[in-house]
């Protein structure tokens, strides 16, 4: 089988935006190259057992990401979406090469191990054996299905807060659902109805497959859409992991789509933009319940009052 190798080249200063873009597109299985990696390891080249020699040719600010797609139709759609997003954000360039099958799927598996989120969530790769305890809530993932793995700080933060705030029987909206992981977690936590919305048809396809894998496809539905345009469903909880600049544009719509006392969980927000988002939430009638920072990223939880 032949694969399409996607190579994104940008600047180290755009690291957060590029990784969040990949996460929102459901791509969390990727190889990263940068001069900063070498300095972080603080080891001489001669001491390394293995390293791709191309790393040593990178300039100080250069950053590269590699990932692979096998399906031709998915590859073309991903190329279209990436080129558009990279151009709009001015954060990098895209190159694509065809490569022979080198068992990429199995290579990626060594980077993914089970991990816990919050009190009871267990995120388990599909190839790992795991015996759940009585209180475990198990989410099965498979990076070969373009599943957002939950390892990005923003996704992790959102999952942690979903576990805290979802009540059995809740109706949930997931805006910018990406590969569906937050919708799936919501269903697994007891929501009776979850609607995931994304502008990317590749994300919708992946979300449906992942919901089926986790046996919540009777709870979680997904549809193409632009944020909350045309959505009039009243929800108990809305979650959105996008970016601050987009979040502030639809906070008013979030307010109208929530019941009184409803919860809005949002991330994809860098620390420097936290106050901007909080101010907009307060202006629209929300009460800030809490915020939490992990690295450079923030999650904010607000209540409609």
């Amino acid at each position: 089988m032949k694969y399409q190798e996607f190579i994104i080249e940008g600047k180290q200063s755009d690291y957060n935006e590029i990784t969040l873009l990949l996460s929102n597109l459901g791509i969390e299985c990727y190889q990263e190259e940068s001069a900063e990696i070498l300095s972080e390891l603080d080891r001489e080249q001669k001491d390394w057992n293995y390293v791709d020699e191309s790393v040593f040719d990178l300039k100080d600010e250069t950053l590269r990401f590699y990932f692979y797609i096998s399906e031709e139709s998915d590859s073309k759609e991903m190329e279209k979406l990436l080129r558009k997003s990279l151009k709009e954000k001015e954060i990098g360039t895209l190159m694509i090469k065809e490569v022979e099958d080198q068992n990429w799927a199995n290579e990626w598996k060594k980077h993914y191990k089970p991990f816990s989120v919050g009190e009871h969530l267990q995120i388990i790769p599909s190839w790992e054996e795991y015996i759940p305890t009585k209180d475990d809530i198990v989410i099965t993932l498979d990076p070969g299905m373009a599943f957002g793995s939950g390892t990005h700080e923003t996704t992790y933060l959102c999952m942690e807060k979903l576990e805290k705030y979802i009540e059995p029987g809740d109706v949930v909206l997931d805006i910018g659902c990406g590969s569906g992981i937050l919708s799936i977690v919501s269903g697994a936590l007891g929501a009776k109805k979850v609607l995931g919305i994304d502008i990317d048809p590749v994300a919708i396809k992946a979300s449906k497959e992942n919901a089926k894998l986790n046996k919540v496809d009777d709870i979680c539905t997904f549809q193409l859409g632009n944020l909350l345009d045309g959505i009039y469903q009243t929800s108990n909880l809305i979650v959105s992991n996008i970016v601050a600049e987009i979040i502030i544009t639809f906070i008013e719509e979030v307010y109208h789509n929530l019941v009184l006392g409803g919860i809005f969980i949002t991330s994809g927000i860098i620390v420097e933009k936290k106050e901007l988002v909080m101010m907009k939430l307060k202006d629209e009638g929300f009460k800030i319940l809490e915020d939490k920072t992990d690295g450079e990223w923030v999650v904010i939880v607000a209540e409609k009052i």
Side-chain angles (χ1 to χ4, degrees), residues 1-4 6 68-75 104 144:
M1 180 184 294
K2 293 183 182 296
Y3 283 75
Q4 299 300 312
F6 283 66
Y68 303 87
I69 295 180
S70 61
E71 294 293 333
E72 185 177 353
S73 59
D74 289 350
S75 174
W104 300 114

Side-chain angles (χ1 to χ4, degrees), residues 271-283:
V271 173
E272 291 80 3
K273 299 293 178 70
K274 181 179 79 170
E275 293 303 323
L276 178 67
V277 177
M278 284 188 166
M279 185 181 303
K280 181 65 174 177
L281 285 164
K282 292 174 183 176
D283 288 345

Side-chain angles (χ1 to χ4, degrees), residues 23 26-28 123 141-142 145-151 155 179-181 210:
S23 179
I27 302 296
E28 294 198 26
I123 313 301
L141 62 85
D142 187 343
M145 296 174 66
F147 197 114
S149 69
T151 56
T155 314
S179 56
I181 188 168
N210 295 325

Side-chain angles (χ1 to χ4, degrees), residues 34 38 42 54 59 80 92 141 157 175 182 198 215 290:
S34 72
L38 302 182
D42 194 27
S54 62
K59 296 178 181 179
K80 178 182 174 182
L141 62 85
L157 287 166
I175 310 303
L182 297 180
D198 204 287
K215 297 181 174 59
E290 63 171 306

Side-chain angles (χ1 to χ4, degrees), residues 180-196:
I181 188 168
L182 297 180
S183 294
I184 292 163
V185 166
S186 298
L189 286 169
K192 71 174 182 181
K193 181 181 179 183
V194 183
L195 174 60

Side-chain angles (χ1 to χ4, degrees), residues 58-274:
L58 295 178
K59 296 178 181 179
D60 288 345
E61 274 296 302
T62 303
L63 175 70
R64 287 188 193 138
F65 292 92
Y66 299 78
F67 65 91
Y68 303 87
I69 295 180
S70 61
E71 294 293 333
E72 185 177 353
S73 59
D74 289 350
S75 174
K76 289 181 179 178
E77 188 65 34
M78 182 62 71
E79 178 182 358
K80 178 182 174 182
L81 290 166
L82 266 177
R83 289 197 188 280
K84 179 182 178 183
S85 297
L86 292 171
K87 183 178 180 180
E88 288 176 349
K89 296 176 181 293
E90 298 182 343
I91 54 174
T93 58
L94 175 66
M95 296 171 283
I96 299 176
K97 297 191 300 184
E98 187 174 81
V99 295
E100 295 292 338
D101 182 6
Q102 296 185 31
N103 202 14
W104 300 114
N106 289 328
E107 277 296 303
W108 290 120
K109 288 181 181 181
K110 64 186 179 184
H111 299 291
Y112 289 87
K113 299 296 179 184
F115 67 96
S116 301
V117 180
E119 295 291 326
H120 304 294
L121 286 169
Q122 304 295 329
I123 313 301
I124 312 297
S126 59
W127 56 85
E128 292 280 346
E129 290 188 13
Y130 181 78
I131 301 175
T133 63
K134 178 183 177 181
D135 296 326
D136 282 350
I137 299 171
V138 177
I139 306 298
T140 302
L141 62 85
D142 187 343
M145 296 174 66
F147 197 114
S149 69
T151 56
H152 192 278
E153 292 94 330
T154 60
T155 314
Y156 186 99
L157 287 166
C158 284
M159 288 194 292
E160 189 177 63
K161 297 310 174 188
L162 283 171
E163 184 184 31
K164 181 175 180 179
Y165 286 96
I166 279 186
E167 299 288 343
D170 274 356
V171 175
V172 176
L173 275 173
D174 179 5
I175 310 303
C177 62
S179 56
I181 188 168
L182 297 180
S183 294
I184 292 163
V185 166
S186 298
L189 286 169
K192 71 174 182 181
K193 181 181 179 183
V194 183
L195 174 60
I197 301 166
D198 204 287
I199 199 168
D200 172 13
V202 174
I204 297 301
K205 179 183 176 182
S207 294
K208 291 178 178 178
E209 293 173 351
N210 295 325
K212 187 174 182 180
L213 176 67
N214 283 273
K215 297 181 174 59
V216 292
D217 49 318
D218 58 332
I219 299 170
C220 301
T221 57
F222 303 93
Q223 69 181 53
L224 281 172
N226 182 25
L227 304 176
L228 280 166
D229 289 354
I231 303 297
Y232 306 106
Q233 170 180 306
T234 303
S235 303
N236 304 99
L237 185 147
I238 295 177
V239 61
S240 185
N241 180 23
I242 310 181
V243 293
E245 291 82 356
I246 295 178
I247 291 164
I248 61 176
T249 67
F250 70 99
I251 287 176
E252 182 179 355
E253 286 79 8
V254 170
Y255 188 89
H256 291 302
N257 276 272
L258 281 172
V259 299
L260 190 63
I263 300 296
F264 182 37
I265 298 172
T266 185
S267 191
I269 304 164
I270 58 174
V271 173
E272 291 80 3
K273 299 293 178 70
K274 181 179 79 170

